[in-house]
Amino acid sequence: MSSSHQYHHPDSGGLSTEPNSDSDNDLDLQELDPITSTAAPTSPRSSSHFLRSSKEERRADQGRNRGIALRSLRTGARRAPGGAARRYGQLGQWGHSDQDDLQGLLNDEDDAAAKRDSAGSFGTTDDDAPLLQAPTSGRRRTEREDGGPISRLGSRIRLPSFISAASRLSAQLDESPPSPTVEEHDPSSSRTILVGQAQPTRFPLNAVSNAKYTPWSFLPRTLYNEFSFFINLYFLLVALSQIIPALRIGYLSTYIAPLAFVLTITLGKEAIDDIARRRRDSEANSEGYTVLRYEQERVDSGTLPMMKLSNRLQRKVKKSKRKPQNGAREQGRMTDIEEEEENLQSGEVDDGPASKFYEVVKRSRDLKVGDVVKLGKDQRVPADVIVLKSYSNETSVAAAAYDAPEPEAEPPAPLVEPLLETPAADIPATENGVAGQPAEKSNPSADGGNVGETFIRTDQLDGETDWKLRLPSPLTQELETSEFVRLRIVAGKPDKRVNDFVGTLQLLPKEPKLDGPDDPRRKKRTGQNDSSVDADGPEPMPETKSASLTIDNTAWANTVLASNATTLAVVVYTGSQTRQALSTSPSRSKTGLLEFEINSLTKILCIMTLTLSIILVALEGHRSKEDPEWYIAILIYLILFSTIIPISLRVNLDMGKSVYAWFIERDKGISGAVVRTSTIPEDLGRVEYLLSDKTGTLTQNEMELKKIHVGTVSYANEAMDEVSSYVHQAFSSPSSSDVNKPSALITPSSTYIASASTATRTRREIGSRVRDVVLALALCHNVTPTSEEDDGHSITTYQASSPDEIAIVRWTESVGLRLVHRDRKGMVLQSVETGRVVVRVRILDVFPFTSEGKRMGIIVQFFVGTETVSTSHDEPGEIWFYQKGADTVMTSIVAANDWLDEETANMAREGLRTLVVGRKRLSTEKYQEFSSTYKQASLSLQGRDAGMGKVVKEYLESDLELLGVTGVEDKLQQDVKPSLELLRNAGIKIWMLTGDKVETARCVAVSAKLVARGQYVHTISKLQRKDLAQDSLDFLRSKTDACLLIDGESLALMLTHFRESFISLAVLLPAVVACRCSPTQKAEVAKLIRQYTKKRICCIGDGGNDVSMIQAADVGVGIVGKEGRQASLAADFSIEQFCHLTKLLVWHGRNSYKRSAKLAQFIIHRGLIISVCQAMFSIANKFNPIALYRDWLLVGYATVYTMAPVFSLVLDKDVPESLTHMYPELYKDLTSGSSLSYRTFAIWVAVSIYQGSLIQALSQLLVATQGPRMVSVSFTALVLNELIMVALEITTWHPVMIFSLLGTAVVYAASVPFLGDYFDLHWLVSWAWVWRVVAILAISLVPPYAVKLVRRTLRPPSYRKVQGL
């Protein structure tokens, strides 16, 4: 960049100068401007007009507004302090420094703002406005004058146009026309984006929202969800019936209050959960980002305000500040003046920046379309952006400022240089002799440099582990940051395809600022006949430059910058229109399976109630006139028996869910767990299908080379020390031990030097092979080393598109050979032990890895000589072709051998990602022949890729020398293997859905033991024909014990044409691995399994690409990822590690389900038994609908007298935690729903009918048909029966259970003296009352408990079997 621009700070005072001693009024205008005009000034025009509409208008303006040229002003405006004007020849002879001269041109901004209002200021915006206002007869005012003395004085002051004040900026901004009404942008159309400016249309807020409700939709949606449950709707109708006098029984509040309490509890939980989601969203949306704020000035064409000084002038000011004030008079200003005039004649005057800018920090939610965002390493991209510029952070000075002055950048070196036509020593060396590390100029590396390359991590978006290379358009990379306001971007409509983008970048022309009628550019543009005007006619209008934009120029929201570079990007899509948001399904309210099951049971209870009411009315027979009508009698019975469907059921279950959530969040074994949806904890105990992401969930996305085989020997673990010793011997020379002597450069043909003590022939051969394979791995890659500061220490890191390559280069460094420099020209390798350069190569060709080719190659030329004196023209170095790739393709490329297949199979069984390494030496003639043929093939318009591949195969990919095989491991998360094994034993079928490659997915599936040892893996990839898809399905039907591996393209074909057949077969398989899946496909698979199997689905992931899948699942679990918390925020449950899932399911999930099932059935039993007592009482009273228990007795029974003991069942546990992990088969029993089924429901109904009938019948037989004595016996027996039943159902006692049981009994006994309206209190203290209650309790409790013991003995449940062991 040839010019510099500094930030504008609003509080800055700008550049100030010392005032002149003489007044400018002494200057003669005719002397300065001999070509004056008497025409009145034109009215001001908008500064937004970049171009003239026609040449005629330009000529007309020229006749109206004329002024002096900038050169005339510069040669006559500066005067001496003594009062005499400086003449042309005296300008360079004053005894002041250059700084004084330059400061004289600037003047004080505040004084200038107050003293002038000439055409050179903001009064006129014509392109051809005169530099100074022409004198007029009389006191003629312009449209802007208000008659003030300062204004009148300003019209007479004649100052250079480039003297402007920052304080005038606010005045001109205030005069801007009002902005037009902003309309909502149509999302179905393309958009034109003004970079760094306000947009003419409105776009969505850049806010992340995982909330389920809005303030307006909360009540309607929650009430609809609540009354969609039959039990709530039933009680709403019962409560409303009490408004009718004929149906009223007792107090209205008896029925309204419980319903209101239930709704309050449920709605309150939903509100608290949603408020928590909004609070977490607010944290994510408040993340700060640095944004460049641009301010354009409305300045007359032909003027240059102080804030917009030419870059060259700013540099002069900076240089002059560094010069001594009293130094020798080196040379005058004459050279500068002549240079100015020469530039004016050639039209090469720098017109200054189009705007100024400064940094502000904005919250993520406040980012708008068009904002230019500054992003750094490891920073999350907050919205969908287009990369405009990227520069390395390695350069301490030049790269620190956006447009700081820097030396002219050399053009990037071509990838393929002419062979042996440049000096060998073209790789710079540092002070310590290590090449490739220049001190003042950044390397043209992947960190940016002049090319602007930057890498992003997209695993949070698409699940792929490879880094993606992103490049700014050359149009913007070389453009100064202050000129970004001239950019326009045309982008397509919002789309959810993350791998596709089409757009156009436009750079509007910059209108030059003309300095008056003598400006040669003015004459050139208007076509005047002048000697300075070319004969070709008038200068053509500047053209708009355009460039295409592709996916390579983008970075989507929730990706992460991986390069050690600063990137400037413009926001194009925000909020709901980002790729991430469009790929995410909207949040939905989730209801547990237990809720649906209880809803079905309540319908059965309602049918029982209606049937019982009809039977009682029918048995009554003849009805008297005083009796109500039969249909009213039925309704009254329904109200009396409403306790059969207990309203407290929902309250107790909701409170139980809160207890389960409390247990989960405070479990130290799964620290960091968060329950975000507290309505479905029971579903954790019913999961039958687990759909898991790979990257970041099962794996850490950290690669490590674990094993290397060199043909005869395999090295792993501690054996790597032996490799290090071989490398040390191979890359050391006698001179390397002497720090004063340069070390010799090593080539593949160099003789391997072994120590004398161990110099056996076998060890020399092995050492030579180890050296060759390590050298090949250190050279055959696309890795770039970068340096960054950490606590004052310089740390070298590596970056590349593939983590595998980084792992290999790190391994070569660990064994003694470090990559210290890499650019487009070559690479430099250094010995770790000696710190000397040992290998230098020139890169001739690079053949990058592709998913189709599955291999990567490079042609290099080695330098010979020493680290300081390298190859000359007369000594051509060796040329070698290195290649590495998958064993499936390299087997046919390398020379015949007898160990490759066996060794790659062994590594694959260990779950390692294998790479086969080979090499081939090329003669100079052979390479030149290949290069020319390859170049011809690259120029072909048809079949270019195939032709280039054919040339490579013919000349290079044949009979390669096999060097070795590497095994790279993708590190698994902690305890992934035992966790997956435990979940499989628990009866859960596991699917792995990932966006990564097929080979990667296969290796992880094997290493994580998702695929059992020896299990057949059936791979379906790249299917495009329906007949082949049908054949694959037919084959799978005969191999239902195989693991299915399918890619996204084939999965899409299956889901389109064979939806039912595919899913019906896939759910039978023990494991399924789907790779190359988009976020939408993941969600579709989850929905399909739910719809087809009707089973509970759990989805777990850590990235933004997993949000759709998590929200589509019955139970969504999010892992807090390294780069983002999108999955965690959108999930129902958040954990920190995958291994925590096992405890969440087999312990907390199992307990939650079993406790809720027992609690629900006990509450049904509690309501049913009192209804049976009511029915027996009505039968005894000749079928009259008379209430047995009224008012407080009815309310107290369901609350004070039984609620605490019944609710304490949420603390019960049938087995200790250790046994649930030791015997995960216990979890499998829950998937059948045996804890709450129609069978268990029927048993509890039978017990309720038996106990209710006996309690009421015996009470009437032993006491009386009705009366307070019978009520006291019946109600007391009923309450004590419930307390004892709770005690009999408890498996593991808890102190709270004991306290609740004893406390409730004491509370009931203490409340009896206050129940005189219902009981005969005098009779309660007699033995007659006591023995009747005891007898009734014995008859009602002993038989059911005896049956339970017999059944448990004959058919013990699973947990009893485990406890017996």
Side-chain angles (χ1 to χ4, degrees):
M1 292 174 286
S2 60
S3 60
S4 65
H5 294 281
Q6 297 176 338
Y7 294 117
H8 163 62
H9 299 282
D11 298 331
S12 177
L15 296 173
S16 63
T17 62
E18 57 186 45
N20 292 333
S21 60
D22 296 330
S23 172
D24 283 335
N25 290 331
D26 295 336
L27 295 176
D28 187 0
L29 179 64
Q30 295 296 330
E31 178 185 350
L32 291 177
D33 191 6
I35 308 174
T36 57
S37 174
T38 58
T42 60
S43 59
R45 299 188 179 186
S46 172
S47 63
S48 62
H49 290 216
F50 283 90
L51 301 173
R52 286 293 180 190
S53 59
S54 66
K55 296 178 181 177
E56 288 77 16
E57 186 176 345
R58 189 183 301 275
R59 294 191 183 99
D61 291 337
Q62 182 184 1
R64 292 194 300 268
N65 299 324
R66 308 179 67 181
I68 67 173
L70 176 63
R71 62 178 178 181
S72 302
L73 179 67
R74 290 194 175 184
T75 57
R78 182 71 169 157
R79 303 197 304 157
R86 273 191 182 180
R87 292 175 176 82
Y88 192 93
Q90 296 173 336
L91 287 175
Q93 301 175 9
W94 278 93
H96 295 281
S97 66
D98 289 347
Q99 180 180 359
D100 296 330
D101 296 332
L102 292 172
Q103 296 286 13
L105 291 175
L106 299 179
N107 211 341
D108 184 72
E109 58 176 355
D110 296 326
D111 294 342
K115 291 180 180 178
R116 70 185 179 91
D117 191 10
S118 67
S121 67
F122 301 104
T124 305
T125 58
D126 272 318
D127 289 340
D128 300 331
L131 191 63
L132 298 179
Q133 185 74 20
T136 58
S137 60
R139 306 179 85 180
R140 304 181 59 180
R141 298 184 181 182
T142 63
E143 296 176 359
R144 291 179 55 201
E145 288 180 339
D146 58 0
I150 300 300
S151 299
R152 291 194 297 273
L153 176 62
S155 65
R156 296 194 298 271
I157 294 178
R158 301 180 293 275
L159 292 178
S161 63
F162 45 78
I163 305 178
S164 64
S167 60
R168 299 296 302 272
L169 179 62
S170 58
Q172 65 93 6
L173 288 176
D174 293 338
E175 295 167 8
S176 302
S179 59
T181 303
V182 180
E183 299 179 354
E184 192 75 32
H185 182 266
D186 182 8
S188 62
S189 62
S190 61
R191 59 183 64 188
T192 300
I193 300 165
L194 313 180
V195 177
Q197 305 176 49
Q199 307 303 310
T201 54
R202 186 167 58 248
F203 298 98
L205 288 174
N206 190 48
V208 176
S209 178
N210 291 298
K212 296 181 180 179
Y213 310 103
T214 65
W216 298 272
S217 67
F218 175 73
L219 277 179
R221 287 185 60 184
T222 52
L223 289 177
Y224 173 80
N225 291 336
E226 289 303 309
F227 289 115
S228 62
F229 286 99
F230 178 79
I231 184 172
N232 289 341
L233 182 62
Y234 175 81
F235 271 96
L236 177 63
L237 296 175
V238 169
L240 293 177
S241 69
Q242 296 304 290
I243 301 175
I244 304 173
L247 301 178
R248 184 171 298 170
I249 301 174
Y251 299 115
L252 180 63
S253 59
T254 305
Y255 298 90
I256 295 294
L259 179 63
F261 181 68
V262 169
L263 294 178
T264 302
I265 293 295
T266 306
L267 268 63
K269 282 173 54 62
E270 283 290 317
I272 291 173
D273 288 347
D274 214 50
I275 289 172
R277 292 189 195 96
R278 288 184 176 276
R279 187 177 295 113
R280 291 186 294 268
D281 289 343
S282 177
E283 293 176 2
N285 293 329
S286 298
E287 185 177 356
Y289 287 89
T290 301
V291 177
L292 305 188
R293 176 168 292 174
Y294 289 85
E295 291 186 0
Q296 289 181 275
E297 298 181 348
R298 295 175 56 206
V299 184
D300 296 341
S301 300
T303 67
L304 189 60
M306 184 196 65
M307 298 301 291
K308 303 175 75 173
L309 291 172
S310 70
N311 300 322
R312 183 157 46 82
L313 191 58
Q314 288 189 26
R315 288 198 296 273
K316 288 180 182 178
V317 173
K318 293 179 181 178
K319 292 178 181 178
S320 65
K321 291 181 179 179
R322 293 193 295 265
K323 295 181 180 179
Q325 295 291 332
N326 300 321
R329 298 171 175 85
E330 300 173 3
Q331 58 179 4
R333 291 276 305 279
M334 185 64 69
T335 305
D336 294 340
I337 299 298
E338 292 172 351
E339 181 183 353
E340 289 282 345
E341 292 211 344
E342 290 176 2
N343 289 338
L344 282 169
Q345 294 295 333
S346 60
E348 295 180 355
V349 171
D350 192 343
D351 294 310
S355 65
K356 66 175 180 292
F357 62 91
Y358 53 91
E359 288 185 0
V360 296
V361 177
K362 277 189 176 183
R363 295 179 303 176
S364 176
R365 64 169 294 120
D366 296 331
L367 294 178
K368 301 182 184 302
V369 171
D371 282 350
V372 178
V373 186
K374 176 186 173 184
L375 300 170
K377 183 179 180 181
D378 293 331
Q379 195 168 11
R380 182 181 68 90
V381 180
D384 288 357
V385 300
I386 298 293
V387 178
L388 298 178
K389 198 171 198 174
S390 182
Y391 54 86
S392 171
N393 291 337
E394 290 186 33
T395 307
S396 58
V397 179
Y402 298 107
D403 300 312
E406 59 181 285
E408 290 295 328
E410 299 178 1
L415 188 62
V416 180
E417 296 185 22
L419 186 65
L420 303 178
E421 292 183 1
T422 57
D426 57 356
I427 301 178
T430 58
E431 296 177 359
N432 61 1
V434 179
Q437 303 269 354
E440 297 181 358
K441 186 175 179 181
S442 64
N443 301 328
S445 65
D447 273 332
N450 295 330
V451 183
E453 298 175 352
T454 187
F455 285 94
I456 61 172
R457 292 194 294 268
T458 63
D459 52 308
Q460 295 285 312
L461 182 69
D462 55 19
E464 295 190 21
T465 56
D466 289 355
W467 293 2
K468 305 296 189 304
L469 176 64
R470 292 294 184 259
L471 297 167
S473 171
L475 202 60
T476 58
Q477 177 66 19
E478 301 300 329
L479 188 67
E480 296 176 5
T481 308
S482 57
E483 303 294 332
F484 282 171
V485 292
R486 294 164 50 202
L487 295 173
R488 301 292 182 268
I489 293 177
V490 179
K493 64 181 182 180
D495 194 348
K496 63 182 178 182
R497 292 177 296 178
V498 297
N499 295 318
D500 187 25
F501 176 77
V502 176
T504 304
L505 178 70
Q506 298 176 349
L507 176 62
L508 300 183
K510 183 178 181 182
E511 181 70 10
K513 297 173 176 57
L514 307 180
D515 297 322
D518 294 334
D519 193 325
R521 293 175 297 169
R522 179 187 300 280
K523 296 180 180 181
K524 188 174 182 179
R525 296 170 68 87
T526 57
Q528 294 180 2
N529 293 327
D530 191 272
S531 60
S532 63
V533 180
D534 295 338
D536 297 336
E539 179 185 355
M541 298 292 290
E543 296 183 356
T544 299
K545 298 180 182 179
S546 298
S548 61
L549 296 173
T550 65
I551 188 66
D552 294 331
N553 308 117
T554 65
W556 301 140
N558 289 325
T559 57
V560 179
L561 243 64
S563 297
N564 183 25
T566 297
T567 299
L568 302 181
V570 60
V571 177
V572 290
Y573 302 107
T574 54
S576 59
Q577 294 182 350
T578 61
R579 259 45 175 193
Q580 174 75 62
L582 293 173
S583 300
T584 303
S585 56
S587 300
R588 64 185 183 93
S589 298
K590 296 183 180 181
T591 305
L593 182 60
L594 187 72
E595 302 279 356
F596 291 110
E597 293 173 344
I598 291 176
N599 198 48
S600 300
L601 297 180
T602 55
K603 293 177 182 179
I604 297 175
L605 292 175
C606 182
I607 294 174
M608 292 174 56
T609 304
L610 180 61
T611 303
L612 182 60
S613 302
I614 294 175
I615 291 174
L616 291 178
V617 172
L619 291 176
E620 185 179 2
H622 177 71
R623 306 181 64 83
S624 62
K625 292 182 180 180
E626 291 79 9
D627 294 334
E629 295 293 335
W630 64 270
Y631 55 87
I632 295 180
I634 292 176
L635 292 176
I636 294 175
Y637 272 121
L638 284 173
I639 297 170
L640 287 173
F641 296 147
S642 62
T643 53
I644 292 180
I645 308 174
I647 186 66
S648 60
L649 179 60
R650 289 300 306 278
V651 178
N652 282 272
L653 289 178
D654 286 343
M655 292 173 62
K657 296 175 192 293
S658 299
V659 173
Y660 308 149
W662 189 87
F663 284 148
I664 292 173
E665 292 183 346
R666 281 157 182 78
D667 189 338
K668 296 181 179 180
I670 51 174
S671 59
V674 179
V675 179
R676 306 199 189 280
T677 304
S678 58
T679 58
I680 56 171
E682 298 91 355
D683 278 8
L684 290 171
R686 309 288 297 278
V687 172
E688 294 190 49
Y689 288 90
L690 175 64
L691 277 58
S692 174
D693 177 44
K694 178 189 73 69
T695 308
T697 303
L698 298 178
T699 67
Q700 301 180 31
N701 196 22
E702 294 181 5
M703 309 297 175
E704 182 181 4
L705 193 146
K706 302 289 289 186
K707 193 173 185 180
I708 185 169
H709 192 90
V710 295
T712 56
V713 184
S714 180
Y715 298 96
N717 302 323
E718 293 81 8
M720 292 298 181
D721 295 337
E722 189 173 351
V723 176
S724 300
S725 66
Y726 283 129
V727 171
H728 171 61
Q729 294 174 10
F731 293 98
S732 62
S733 60
S735 60
S736 63
S737 58
D738 188 350
V739 295
N740 298 320
K741 294 183 179 180
S743 63
L745 297 179
I746 305 297
T747 68
S749 300
S750 301
T751 303
Y752 175 75
I753 303 173
S755 60
S757 58
T758 59
T760 63
R761 179 179 179 182
T762 303
R763 290 191 62 83
R764 283 198 301 270
E765 291 179 354
I766 296 176
S768 178
R769 295 183 67 87
V770 169
R771 181 199 67 177
D772 292 341
V773 71
V774 172
L775 180 60
L777 293 174
L779 294 175
C780 186
H781 54 72
N782 273 314
V783 179
T784 302
T786 62
S787 298
E788 57 186 60
E789 293 290 331
D790 186 12
D791 295 333
H793 301 285
S794 179
I795 299 177
T796 300
T797 59
Y798 299 106
Q799 63 181 37
S801 61
S802 172
D804 294 53
E805 291 196 324
I806 295 178
I808 291 174
V809 174
R810 282 177 178 165
W811 177 82
T812 62
E813 180 181 3
S814 68
V815 296
L817 194 59
R818 177 189 293 131
L819 174 69
V820 294
H821 170 76
R822 194 239 175 83
D823 58 19
R824 291 176 179 266
K825 293 181 179 181
M827 283 182 279
V828 177
L829 303 182
Q830 180 190 67
S831 172
V832 174
E833 187 166 348
T834 63
R836 298 294 191 90
V837 173
V838 292
V839 177
R840 297 175 65 190
V841 298
R842 177 187 290 118
I843 299 174
L844 302 180
D845 285 288
V846 176
F847 311 98
F849 180 89
T850 62
S851 57
E852 294 79 15
K854 300 181 181 179
R855 57 193 183 274
M856 180 266 172
I858 188 171
I859 300 178
V860 296
Q861 182 181 22
F862 285 83
F863 293 113
V864 297
T866 64
E867 58 181 330
T868 56
V869 181
S870 303
T871 312
S872 65
H873 291 287
D874 301 328
E875 297 180 76
E878 304 171 15
I879 301 176
W880 287 84
F881 169 62
Y882 289 99
Q883 190 171 56
K884 67 182 179 185
D887 58 291
T888 54
V889 296
M890 293 294 291
T891 302
S892 59
I893 295 176
V894 299
N897 60 88
D898 57 356
W899 57 269
L900 178 59
D901 293 338
E902 180 182 356
E903 190 58 33
T904 53
N906 292 336
M907 291 187 181
R909 278 192 290 270
E910 297 176 22
L912 301 178
R913 302 165 69 169
T914 57
L915 285 175
V916 179
V917 187
R919 68 176 182 178
K920 184 176 186 178
R921 184 168 182 175
L922 304 175
S923 63
T924 303
E925 296 76 13
K926 185 77 171 178
Y927 173 74
Q928 289 176 341
E929 182 182 352
F930 159 77
S931 183
S932 60
T933 308
Y934 189 73
K935 183 176 181 180
Q936 291 177 359
S938 67
L939 299 177
S940 176
L941 297 178
Q942 295 182 348
R944 178 183 302 174
D945 293 340
M948 294 167 66
K950 184 178 180 180
V951 173
V952 172
K953 187 173 183 63
E954 178 182 354
Y955 285 89
L956 304 177
E957 295 181 340
S958 60
D959 293 330
L960 264 68
E961 178 188 353
L962 177 60
L963 297 177
V965 180
T966 63
V968 177
E969 179 188 49
D970 190 351
K971 290 184 180 179
L972 298 176
Q973 293 282 3
Q974 180 182 350
D975 295 333
V976 162
K977 294 180 183 179
S979 298
L980 290 177
E981 184 179 2
L982 186 146
L983 293 174
R984 273 200 306 270
N985 293 335
I988 299 175
K989 294 183 177 180
I990 303 171
W991 291 35
M992 186 174 77
L993 309 180
T994 178
D996 219 332
K997 299 185 289 292
V998 176
E999 294 79 8
T1000 306
R1002 178 195 291 269
C1003 291
V1004 172
V1006 173
S1007 61
K1009 304 301 181 184
L1010 185 63
V1011 177
R1013 180 178 292 273
Q1015 185 178 9
Y1016 173 71
V1017 179
H1018 183 64
T1019 304
I1020 302 177
S1021 62
K1022 297 183 179 180
L1023 278 185
Q1024 296 178 344
R1025 291 166 45 188
K1026 292 194 293 183
D1027 56 337
L1028 297 178
Q1030 185 62 56
D1031 293 342
S1032 297
L1033 290 175
D1034 294 339
F1035 177 80
L1036 271 180
R1037 288 191 178 92
S1038 61
K1039 296 281 290 184
T1040 55
D1041 59 341
C1043 171
L1044 173 62
L1045 176 62
I1046 185 170
D1047 67 350
E1049 183 180 359
S1050 306
L1051 180 62
L1053 180 67
M1054 291 290 187
L1055 297 181
T1056 302
H1057 301 287
F1058 305 97
R1059 195 179 188 89
E1060 292 295 329
S1061 302
F1062 172 75
I1063 196 63
S1064 62
L1065 183 60
V1067 295
L1068 301 176
L1069 301 175
V1072 176
V1073 178
C1075 49
R1076 290 294 185 189
C1077 284
S1078 66
T1080 306
Q1081 282 181 320
K1082 291 183 178 183
E1084 190 175 1
V1085 169
K1087 293 176 182 176
L1088 194 58
I1089 298 176
R1090 279 179 48 220
Q1091 295 169 0
Y1092 182 81
T1093 63
K1094 308 299 181 185
K1095 306 293 186 182
R1096 295 288 96 177
I1097 309 298
C1098 175
C1099 293
I1100 182 171
D1102 75 314
N1105 60 317
D1106 303 317
V1107 171
S1108 293
M1109 176 179 71
I1110 287 172
Q1111 293 179 340
D1114 298 301
V1115 179
V1117 181
I1119 296 179
V1120 179
K1122 292 181 179 179
E1123 285 84 21
R1125 301 179 60 189
Q1126 295 81 19
S1128 170
L1129 293 176
D1132 305 308
F1133 302 89
S1134 172
I1135 57 179
E1136 294 186 346
Q1137 297 181 30
F1138 181 85
C1139 60
H1140 292 172
L1141 181 66
T1142 56
K1143 188 172 186 180
L1144 190 66
L1145 296 182
V1146 302
W1147 174 242
H1148 290 288
R1150 184 175 185 276
N1151 286 340
S1152 299
Y1153 171 63
K1154 289 188 72 69
R1155 290 166 176 172
S1156 288
K1158 183 180 289 186
L1159 179 64
Q1161 293 176 121
F1162 219 99
I1163 292 173
I1164 291 174
H1165 164 265
R1166 186 181 63 185
L1168 189 57
I1169 191 173
I1170 193 173
S1171 297
V1172 172
C1173 291
Q1174 175 65 53
M1176 294 297 296
F1177 179 73
S1178 297
I1179 293 172
N1181 285 276
K1182 300 178 181 179
F1183 303 100
N1184 287 325
I1186 303 173
L1188 171 61
Y1189 309 121
R1190 292 179 178 273
D1191 304 333
W1192 169 249
L1193 294 183
L1194 197 61
V1195 174
Y1197 172 76
T1199 55
V1200 178
Y1201 300 146
T1202 59
M1203 184 173 181
V1206 172
F1207 186 71
S1208 68
L1209 291 173
V1210 300
L1211 304 175
D1212 192 19
K1213 53 184 179 183
D1214 53 0
V1215 292
E1217 180 184 343
S1218 58
L1219 289 182
T1220 59
H1221 290 84
M1222 189 180 300
Y1223 301 100
E1225 293 79 9
L1226 293 172
Y1227 185 88
K1228 189 183 300 184
D1229 294 341
L1230 306 184
T1231 57
S1232 61
S1234 57
S1235 297
L1236 180 61
S1237 61
Y1238 290 116
R1239 174 176 168 274
T1240 58
F1241 173 71
I1243 292 174
W1244 278 101
V1245 169
V1247 171
S1248 302
I1249 293 176
Y1250 168 78
Q1251 291 183 334
S1253 300
L1254 278 179
I1255 289 173
Q1256 187 59 31
L1258 291 176
S1259 297
Q1260 293 176 359
L1261 289 174
L1262 297 177
V1263 182
T1265 304
Q1266 56 184 351
R1269 290 191 173 185
M1270 184 275 297
V1271 172
S1272 65
V1273 172
S1274 173
F1275 190 78
T1276 302
L1278 188 63
V1279 171
L1280 295 179
N1281 181 82
E1282 284 302 301
L1283 298 182
I1284 297 173
M1285 285 291 291
V1286 170
L1288 295 177
E1289 285 297 319
I1290 292 175
T1291 306
T1292 304
W1293 284 90
H1294 190 279
V1296 175
M1297 296 177 176
I1298 301 173
F1299 177 79
S1300 63
L1301 284 170
L1302 296 180
T1304 300
V1306 171
V1307 168
Y1308 177 70
S1311 66
V1312 168
F1314 302 97
L1315 301 178
D1317 294 339
Y1318 312 103
F1319 296 168
D1320 184 351
L1321 298 180
H1322 297 286
W1323 192 60
L1324 287 179
V1325 296
S1326 63
W1327 284 105
W1329 178 84
V1330 173
W1331 74 261
R1332 286 177 173 82
V1333 171
V1334 172
I1336 293 172
L1337 287 175
I1339 297 174
S1340 67
L1341 291 171
V1342 173
Y1345 185 70
V1347 172
K1348 180 180 179 179
L1349 290 178
V1350 172
R1351 190 176 75 248
R1352 183 181 296 176
T1353 303
L1354 297 178
R1355 297 182 60 185
S1358 299
Y1359 71 89
R1360 286 289 178 182
K1361 297 177 182 178
V1362 172
Q1363 287 177 335
L1365 295 175

